[in-house]
Amino acid sequence: MKLSINNLSKTYPNGVQALKNVSLEIPTGMFGLLGPNGAGKSTLMRILATLQEADSGTATLGDIDVLKDKDSVRRVLGYLPQEFGVYPRMSALNMLDHFATLKGIAGSERKELVHTLLHRVNLWDHRKKAVSSYSGGMRQRFGIAQALIGDPKLIIVDEPTAGLDPGERNRFYNLLSEIGENVIVILSTHIVDDVHELCSNMAIINLGEVVFTGAPSSALQTLDGKIWQKVITKAEIENYNQEYKVISSKLVAGKPIIHILSEEEPGEGFQPAAPGLEDVFFSKIMA
Ligand SMILES: Nc1ncnc2c1ncn2[C@@H]1O[C@H](COP(=O)(O)OP(=O)(O)O)[C@@H](O)[C@H]1O
Ligand SMILES: [Mg+2]
């Protein structure tokens, strides 16, 4: 199965053009949609999840017309929205059972599914606790459990790792990468590491436009030999910003290390640096 998105555009009533002719081919596996806040990621995710209308363009999932045949999409979709609301005081077990009921799963099959999912996301021991009392990581794992109801072929998770601590993030990565083996998983995120660690294919989106698509490794190749680094002082940052194409500056042991983009060797004490996905991200969104 493949998701094909063609020339999708969306302008909000306030005039913000959130998506501008977005076209993407998304195969089975983990697909990273990377972009800064306001890039249009959630808008695209909501349109694909049939919760919002596009102004123009098309999207097909296998032979399903995603924009027209919403019921068919919903039957094969699992969605974890950016803001995932939960009922206060309801236990994970009861809430998951409730979601499964809404998806039309009945009787003993439902009970079995709910139990399987709670084990799968490692929440079985916490099944009787209120989801509203869960930590961020547990809540997101619960969110994945509800997204997996009904054996979806397309799973959309919108900024799932924002606010998780490193341990929680790792557990969440492991869960997602298991799931991503047989279905399409679209992971929207502004966190470069999410994509680097998990995704075989990716796109970078900025101001509603796709600015890169491909494998993370090919993204890195586009910058091969063009990234240069130098340790400078804080007072020098402004000068360097004016003189060079500075794509990032990171403090290491209190000193700024800048990365610049340059086709030629810049001299002036710059050293060649291996490009990271962060360099790709910042160079694409600054271009
Ligand atoms: N309901 C809305 N009404 C008006 N503007 C919106 C609405 N939702 C999002 N936007 C604007 O559309 C742009 C893209 O937003 P969004 O899709 O949420 O981006 P992201 O998820 O990448 O942060 C932003 O400029 C945002 O302010
Ligand atoms: Mg968003």
Side-chain angles (χ1 to χ4, degrees):
M1 187 109 85
K2 194 179 72 172
L3 175 65
S4 301
I5 301 167
N6 275 300
N7 285 311
L8 216 59
S9 291
K10 170 77 184 177
T11 301
Y12 284 107
N14 63 0
V16 173
Q17 211 182 339
L19 297 176
K20 301 172 193 167
N21 290 314
V22 168
S23 296
L24 292 170
E25 295 289 322
I26 303 183
T28 299
M30 294 282 306
F31 186 92
L33 182 70
L34 184 62
N37 288 329
K41 303 183 295 298
S42 291
T43 301
L44 179 59
M45 302 295 92
R46 283 195 301 265
I47 291 171
L48 296 174
T50 73
L51 299 172
Q52 204 168 26
E53 301 284 334
D55 298 334
S56 57
T58 60
T60 53
L61 174 65
D63 50 17
I64 302 171
D65 183 330
V66 174
L67 305 186
K68 294 204 177 108
D69 195 356
K70 295 187 174 147
D71 287 340
S72 298
V73 178
R74 286 171 194 162
R75 274 195 284 277
V76 296
L77 171 76
Y79 176 51
L80 177 56
Q82 185 168 356
E83 307 289 339
F84 177 55
V86 298
Y87 301 102
R89 290 186 296 278
M90 198 189 264
S91 74
L93 184 73
N94 287 340
M95 207 183 310
L96 207 52
D97 187 77
H98 171 68
F99 287 139
T101 307
L102 293 180
K103 275 231 170 175
I105 298 164
S108 61
E109 193 193 336
R110 188 172 74 236
K111 187 172 172 187
E112 203 173 308
L113 173 68
V114 166
H115 287 196
T116 304
L117 287 174
L118 285 168
H119 282 295
R120 176 119 189 238
V121 300
N122 225 337
L123 288 173
W124 178 251
D125 293 343
H126 305 281
R127 67 190 179 281
K128 291 179 183 160
K129 292 185 191 141
V131 179
S132 53
S133 73
Y134 275 3
S135 71
M138 289 164 73
R139 200 186 264 239
Q140 290 304 64
R141 280 185 279 136
F142 178 83
I144 288 294
Q146 65 78 32
L148 288 175
I149 295 169
D151 207 9
K153 301 287 172 274
L154 170 64
I155 298 176
I156 295 175
V157 289
D158 195 357
E159 301 260 6
T161 66
L164 301 193
D165 68 37
E168 288 179 328
R169 180 166 292 164
N170 258 328
R171 277 192 288 279
F172 195 78
Y173 283 172
N174 289 334
L175 180 60
L176 271 188
S177 60
E178 275 172 38
I179 293 165
E181 282 172 10
N182 305 310
V183 297
I184 302 173
V185 179
I186 307 178
L187 167 73
S188 121
T189 182
H190 67 274
I191 299 166
V192 175
D193 284 345
D194 287 355
V195 171
H196 208 172
E197 293 194 24
L198 284 171
C199 299
S200 39
N201 290 289
M202 65 179 284
I204 298 175
I205 173 174
N206 187 44
L207 298 172
E209 285 181 288
V210 175
V211 294
F212 174 84
T213 71
S217 56
S218 72
L220 294 175
Q221 270 169 19
T222 64
L223 293 183
D224 244 355
K226 298 179 191 169
I227 301 294
W228 307 84
Q229 68 175 26
K230 186 176 181 182
V231 183
I232 61 168
T233 65
K234 283 177 191 161
E236 289 171 321
I237 288 181
E238 253 325 294
N239 289 342
Y240 278 92
N241 270 333
Q242 275 163 24
E243 204 160 330
Y244 296 98
K245 199 156 179 200
V246 178
I247 55 175
S248 70
S249 79
K250 225 187 246 177
L251 285 181
V252 176
K255 288 200 172 143
I257 295 185
I258 56 169
H259 277 194
I260 68 163
L261 184 65
S262 172
E263 304 274 340
E264 318 268 294
E265 180 165 354
E268 280 220 35
F270 278 100
Q271 301 290 324
L277 208 50
E278 213 156 276
D279 295 313
V280 176
F281 180 64
F282 288 114
S283 65
K284 299 294 179 196
I285 68 176
M286 281 172 30

